[in-house]
Amino acid sequence: MTVRVRVAPSPTGNLHVGTARAALFNWLYARANDGVFIVRSDDTDLERSTKEYEDGILDSLLWLGLDWDEGVSVGGPHGSYRQSERFERYREVAEQLVASGAAYYDDRAAEELEELRKTAQAEGKHPGHYIRRPDQAATSGVIRLSIPQDSAVEFDDMIRGHVSFEPQDVDDFVILRTNGIPTYHLASTVDDVDYEITHVARGEDLLPSTPKHMLIARAMGADEPVFAHLPLLFGTDGKKLSKRHSATSLTEYRDAGFLADAVFNYLCLLGWSVDGDTTIFSREQAIEAFDLADVSKNPATFDPEKLEWMNGEYIRAMDLPAFMAQALPHIEKSVGRALDDAEIESFREIAALVQERTKLLPEAAEQVRFLFGNVDEYDQKSWDKVMTKDGVAEILGAASTRLSGVERWAADAIEDSLRSMLSEMEIGVGKGLQPMRVAVTGSSVSPPLFESMAALGKQRTIDRLDAARAHLG
Ligand code: GLU
């Protein structure tokens, strides 16, 4: 039997880290089993769902490197993969369930139901019974599923093991609203049945919905899929992951300069690992080793610092052209224009040094900005710390004169000349180089100074030393 799995984002926001993890695990399971990965859009909430969010979510999935075999934007044998385009189908199923006696119309008002609930309580019955009235057939109203009261709903979850819900844990819930809009339970189950989903892997927050979905599937006479409930995501403080902890949408991570490969790798670790102690692994290794049955049932901690560390590891592992290609858009964004060939060449000169010092791509842009414009503003903190000391004017003046005499403009020649100058002046290297760094790069934090000067060029270096000196007042 071909494995058919799906992810079902609701386009009411950007792709959430939790949904991205669910997408990733389903994708891995499909790829590990020569299966089919499906992306459908759970857009029954017509007011909050937008095309922009749907596009954004699909973009984020593609950015992460997850491709799908059937679904929104690629199509497939099942017609539409958008719930908003399948309302007819849900209504048809709901009516079939009424016809077979598995569901019924309920036209009672909320107050009446509240009364019944109270009566049930007074009679010592479980409130789950209050609503039952299969004998009184209304012909309009919401449609509710009639829950069999005689047996527990049980299943073997691939991750959580045996799970059992007592009948009274499940109320006669609404499957179709008066306005014809299906509830999540109905739409999701009909889709899973129609698309012949074999395994439903989704967040543990949806566990309470699962008995409802199993009962709808049974009432439809369909096979239930195998369920796998993925562990909840917590922040480092042990509380449920939310915006308070860190960014929770994939777009924010992409825009902050994270690499898709690093995010992919890190998301894998939220409940699973290739072998228990390897933290960095490739997509191929993950596909090779992945099994839903190996996912942990313990909550997983989402630690943005660890993700950042991992991103740095991925950046350092890139070859130079790849690093430059990834960093360039961030540099151009920061500079506000495209770089010309000569400028890209000067970036290349220090790119390897920048790469070593970068955990996030925009940091690379920060480090090389000085190459692509004038230093018309100095970082205020750097200036106050470094440039207000005694002797700075002398150091900058001497460096400017000394560098004018350097013939071969290369990092080693610049280094030799500045070191011998400082030793003649009896000034320590650290103390002597810091003002030059601020003058040339605008900041006391920069790539190594001699290489930075080499990349900047002789005349511009000298001009900046002079300009900073003039700026001292
Ligand atoms: N639309 C649901 C969500 O975004 C997913 C439901 C499911 O996987 O069944 O959480």
Side-chain angles (χ1 to χ4, degrees), residues 6 8-10 19 40 42 184 188 200 202 206 213:
R6 86 317 190 261
S10 297
T19 313
R40 76 164 196 245
D42 272 12
Y184 156 64
S188 182
V200 171
R202 61 185 176 198
L206 291 164
H213 299 189

Side-chain angles (χ1 to χ4, degrees), residues 145-196:
L145 197 75
S146 186
I147 306 298
Q149 294 288 311
D150 44 8
S151 60
V153 184
E154 303 184 53
F155 61 96
D156 288 313
D157 187 287
M158 273 180 98
I159 296 167
R160 312 198 57 76
H162 191 73
V163 181
S164 172
F165 289 87
E166 291 307 311
Q168 60 264 33
D169 291 340
V170 189
D171 221 336
D172 279 14
F173 57 96
V174 174
I175 56 174
L176 196 78
R177 300 189 180 89
T178 320
N179 58 9
I181 296 187
T183 58
Y184 156 64
H185 304 305
L186 180 67
S188 182
T189 309
V190 173
D191 285 357
D192 288 342
V193 168
D194 285 357
Y195 302 161
E196 298 169 85

Side-chain angles (χ1 to χ4, degrees), residues 102-145:
Y104 58 92
Y105 278 100
D106 182 8
D107 57 2
R108 290 163 298 178
E111 304 81 57
E112 195 182 335
L113 293 174
E114 195 47 43
E115 280 307 308
L116 286 166
R117 185 184 279 126
K118 281 195 195 130
T119 314
Q121 256 163 358
E123 289 173 3
K125 286 202 188 126
H126 192 279
H129 294 255
Y130 72 92
I131 225 156
R132 170 100 0 137
R133 59 161 198 185
D135 45 331
Q136 281 172 269
T139 52
S140 66
V142 298
I143 296 182
R144 292 181 187 275
L145 197 75

Side-chain angles (χ1 to χ4, degrees), residues 214-275:
M214 294 182 66
L215 290 167
I216 297 175
R218 278 183 206 167
M220 288 173 73
D223 290 337
E224 299 142 20
V226 176
F227 286 94
H229 287 91
L230 308 173
L232 295 176
L233 300 184
F234 285 178
T236 45
D237 59 359
K239 302 217 171 88
K240 198 165 174 259
L241 186 66
S242 76
K243 286 204 165 75
R244 283 180 301 109
H245 294 101
S246 57
T248 50
S249 78
L250 273 239
T251 7
E252 288 167 277
Y253 285 95
R254 177 180 59 187
D255 295 348
F258 284 87
L259 299 172
D261 285 343
V263 175
F264 179 104
N265 188 155
Y266 187 67
L267 289 178
C268 284
L269 297 177
L270 299 176
W272 181 75
S273 167
V274 137
D275 60 11

